[in-house]
Amino acid sequence: MTKTRSPIRSNVGLKAVMAVTGILLVLFLIAHMLGNLKVFTGETSFDHYAHWLRDIGKPLLPGVWFLWILRTVLVVAVVAHIVAATVLARRARAARPVKYAHRKKVNGSYAARTMRWGGVIILLFVIYHLLDLTTGTLNPVGNESKPYGNVVADFAPERWYVTLFYTLAIVTVGFHLRHGAFSAFRSLGQQTPRGERRARVAALVFAVLLCAGYLVVPFAVLTGLVS
C-alpha cells in the first residue's frame, strides 16, 4: 500500500503555509515598526506604551501571557516559513536532477537567490532580539520597567556592532519582503509587463519604507538624536 501524503506536506500545502505565515509576519512587522517609532515621542510616552503591551489580555490572562503567546506564535511562524521554503527548494532541485554542461543560468532576483541564508540570519536575529530587548539577558540595562532606557543602552555608540547586526537583519528582511510582495502581487493577477513593473515598484517601495521605519530608531540613538 502506498502512503497518502498529508495535504499540508504537498507543494500546494507548503505554499499555503508560506503564504499564511508570511502574512502573519508582515502584519506583525508593520505593527512593531509603528510601536518602535513611539520612541521619538519621549521616554514617558514610550514606557507607557511598552507597559500597556504587557497588560493586554488582563484580567483574562495573567501577567504578560498575551505577549508570550504572541512571541511563541511568531517564532513558530518563522520556523514554519523557513522549513516550508527549504522543502520546496529541495523538491524543485530534485525535479531537475540532470545537470547540463552548458546550462543557462536561471534568472532571478538577488532576494530570490538568497532566501535560504537570509532566513537563517533572520531566525538568529529573532532569537537575539528576544534575549536582548525581551528577557533583557543580553541588554546592558535589562530592566523591564525601563524599556526606553533599554533601547537607548542597546544602540549606544560603543555598541555599534549591535546596530550593525540589526541593520544586516533588517536589510535581509527587506529583501525577503520585496521578493515576497512581488510574488504576492503576481499571484493576484499582475501578469502583464505593465502589471509586473507596477508590482516590482510597489514591492520595492513597501520594503524600503518598512526597513527605513525600523532602522531610523537605532541610528537615531547611535547619532544622539534619541538619548
Side-chain angles (χ1 to χ4, degrees):
M1 295 179 62
T2 58
K3 293 183 178 180
T4 303
R5 177 181 291 176
S6 171
I8 201 171
R9 295 176 60 188
S10 66
N11 286 354
V12 173
L14 290 173
K15 289 180 180 179
V17 169
M18 288 193 67
V20 172
T21 54
I23 291 172
L24 286 174
L25 293 171
V26 167
L27 291 176
F28 168 76
L29 286 172
I30 294 173
H32 191 40
M33 178 199 70
L34 295 176
N36 286 352
L37 293 177
K38 288 187 70 67
V39 75
F40 292 102
T41 62
E43 182 175 359
T44 301
S45 178
F46 185 78
D47 284 353
H48 181 270
Y49 164 72
H51 293 314
W52 170 78
L53 289 177
R54 294 176 174 274
D55 292 334
I56 296 178
K58 290 183 177 180
L60 295 178
L61 296 174
V64 293
W65 278 34
F66 175 82
L67 279 181
W68 279 108
I69 291 173
L70 177 62
R71 290 161 185 159
T72 301
V73 170
L74 291 173
V75 171
V76 170
V78 170
V79 173
H81 200 77
I82 293 174
V83 170
T86 302
V87 173
L88 286 171
R90 288 178 176 176
R91 288 179 182 176
R93 288 198 303 270
R96 301 187 300 270
V98 179
K99 295 182 179 180
Y100 296 96
H102 301 287
R103 182 180 177 183
K104 185 178 179 180
K105 186 176 181 180
V106 179
N107 291 325
S109 68
Y110 180 77
R113 295 196 300 270
T114 58
M115 291 296 276
R116 284 178 295 169
W117 63 260
V120 173
I121 290 177
I122 294 172
L123 180 59
L124 292 175
F125 172 73
V126 169
I127 295 172
Y128 175 83
H129 198 56
L130 289 174
L131 293 173
D132 181 18
L133 292 175
T134 299
T135 66
T137 306
L138 301 178
N139 190 273
V141 175
N143 189 339
E144 66 177 22
S145 66
K146 298 180 179 180
Y148 184 92
N150 292 337
V151 172
V152 171
D154 197 37
F155 298 114
E158 62 271 17
R159 286 170 57 86
W160 58 268
Y161 49 89
V162 174
T163 301
L164 180 62
F165 179 45
Y166 188 91
T167 302
L168 174 63
I170 294 301
V171 170
T172 303
V173 169
F175 279 117
H176 270 62
L177 286 174
R178 176 172 171 263
H179 177 71
F182 172 68
S183 298
F185 290 141
R186 288 198 63 190
S187 298
L188 292 175
Q190 299 292 340
Q191 301 289 345
T192 64
R194 174 181 287 185
E196 287 204 2
R197 286 195 297 270
R198 289 177 176 175
R200 289 185 186 279
V201 172
L204 178 61
V205 170
F206 173 65
V208 169
L209 288 178
L210 199 69
C211 287
Y214 272 97
L215 293 178
V216 69
V217 173
F219 280 97
V221 176
L222 184 67
T223 57
L225 194 61
V226 171
S227 61

